[in-house]
Amino acid sequence: MTPPRERPATAGVVGWPIGHTLSPLIHQTWAAREGVDAAYLPVAVEPGYDAFACAMDGLAAAGFRGVNVTIPHKENALRYADAASDAARTIGAANMLTFAGKDGVAADNSDAAAIHAMLADAGVVSGRAFILGAGGAARAALWALQQPPLGFEIAIANRTRTRAEEIAPAAGAPVVDWADRARALEAASLVINTTSLDMAGMPPLDLPLDALPARAVVCDIVYKPLETPLLAAARTRGARVIDGLEMLMRQAAPGYLAWLGRSAEVDDDLRRRLEAALCEGGKA
Ligand code: ATR
């Protein structure tokens, strides 16, 4: 008798909408390199906690090892989990759930880990950081910038000032008026755009860089377009830039490790594949 076929290790990414996600390409690239029998599927789940919880119950029952979670479910993911990492709890959002861990469903925030790792690896560990935005990505950046070996003095600007005021005190960060954002660059050694501005279909960030010190590092979480107007202007000034694909690739690695038990290489080959997919048809 033929032995029963082993099921592929299955994981996925949950969001709404989810059609254009690049995450399956990242995970499938890693699995194919190692010849691992794995599947990574996009799963569309409509907004709302009940729909999310119902879908997670179903995916866990179907044998999924875990999921990445994206807009609009990152807060729902934290609420659904039985246990959460320090990062996810502090940030108040999770982009990763692992099913059937020893503590039940475990939540983590690998966006924060990705920001931390990309800066630490680039040797950008201290100085004055200026964060644009006050959403979940800004909270992830705030957390990351305070984890050793990183240690930054941080300032934050957000269009809706009150949102920045909610998250700034815990980091001892002054809030800068959105209208004064260009002036606040004067003392910055690191600038991180966590807003959705400059993204295809969104208004421009409109941040003149005249005041930015030439040796500053500029990061953008937007990866469509990959070279945002902010990064293009920063490059022109001779600043070092870190683009949105860097964070996208790095945030995926903890899931691959948790669900397949293998570490994944974030390298030029993966970057080239993602850049090709972005060019191909705006698949972001
Ligand atoms: P995420 O959790 O992915 O960070 P979010 O909570 O929707 O997403 O945050 C998006 C960020 O982009 C916010 O800082 C938002 O500013 P507001 O808090 O004022 O909404 C910012 N943003 C979005 N559209 C903007 C616009 N047209 N002008 C300025 N900032 C904008």
Side-chain angles (χ1 to χ4, degrees), residues 213-282:
R215 303 227 317 247
V217 176
V218 179
C219 304
D220 205 328
I221 66 159
V222 171
Y223 58 85
K224 191 185 172 189
L226 189 52
E227 181 86 338
T228 59
L230 172 67
L231 295 188
R235 244 187 252 280
T236 303
R237 289 181 59 78
R240 272 170 79 190
V241 307
I242 301 178
D243 66 29
L245 270 190
E246 196 62 34
M247 177 166 154
L248 183 77
M249 293 188 292
R250 286 173 181 267
Q251 64 77 33
Y256 194 79
L257 178 63
W259 309 323
L260 280 92
R262 295 156 183 268
S263 58
E265 286 296 320
V266 169
D267 56 16
D268 288 346
D269 169 66
L270 180 62
R271 168 176 281 275
R272 274 193 297 273
R273 288 166 191 267
L274 292 169
E275 286 179 2
L278 279 172
C279 284
E280 220 173 71

Side-chain angles (χ1 to χ4, degrees), residues 75-185:
E75 275 98 6
N76 291 336
L78 183 62
R79 179 173 162 197
Y80 180 79
D82 301 304
S85 67
D86 174 51
R89 225 176 313 109
T90 309
I91 293 161
N95 72 321
M96 219 185 115
L97 289 177
T98 300
F99 300 132
K102 66 176 173 23
D103 300 319
V105 178
D108 204 348
N109 191 309
S110 67
D111 291 333
I115 295 170
H116 186 264
M118 76 190 190
L119 292 174
D121 288 356
V124 182
V125 296
S126 62
R128 290 186 179 205
F130 184 43
I131 296 177
L132 294 142
R139 295 200 301 272
L142 261 184
W143 182 91
L145 293 181
Q146 297 176 87
Q147 305 308 307
L150 308 193
F152 285 89
E153 285 176 50
I154 306 167
I156 308 176
N158 190 52
R159 172 182 61 176
T160 309
R161 189 184 163 99
T162 48
R163 281 189 91 192
E165 285 169 347
E166 280 165 24
I167 61 172
V175 173
V176 173
D177 263 344
W178 186 243
D180 292 335
R181 62 193 184 282
R183 239 174 300 157
L185 296 175

Side-chain angles (χ1 to χ4, degrees), residues 13 17-25 40-43 70 223 248 283-284:
V13 56
I18 200 65
H20 297 302
T21 175
L22 289 173
S23 291
L25 176 57
Y40 186 97
L41 308 171
V43 182
T70 186
Y223 58 85
L248 183 77
K283 287 196 212 161

Side-chain angles (χ1 to χ4, degrees), residues 188-204:
S189 53
L190 172 65
V191 178
I192 306 183
N193 174 40
T194 71
T195 75
S196 42
L197 297 173
D198 272 358
M199 194 184 284
M202 289 292 290

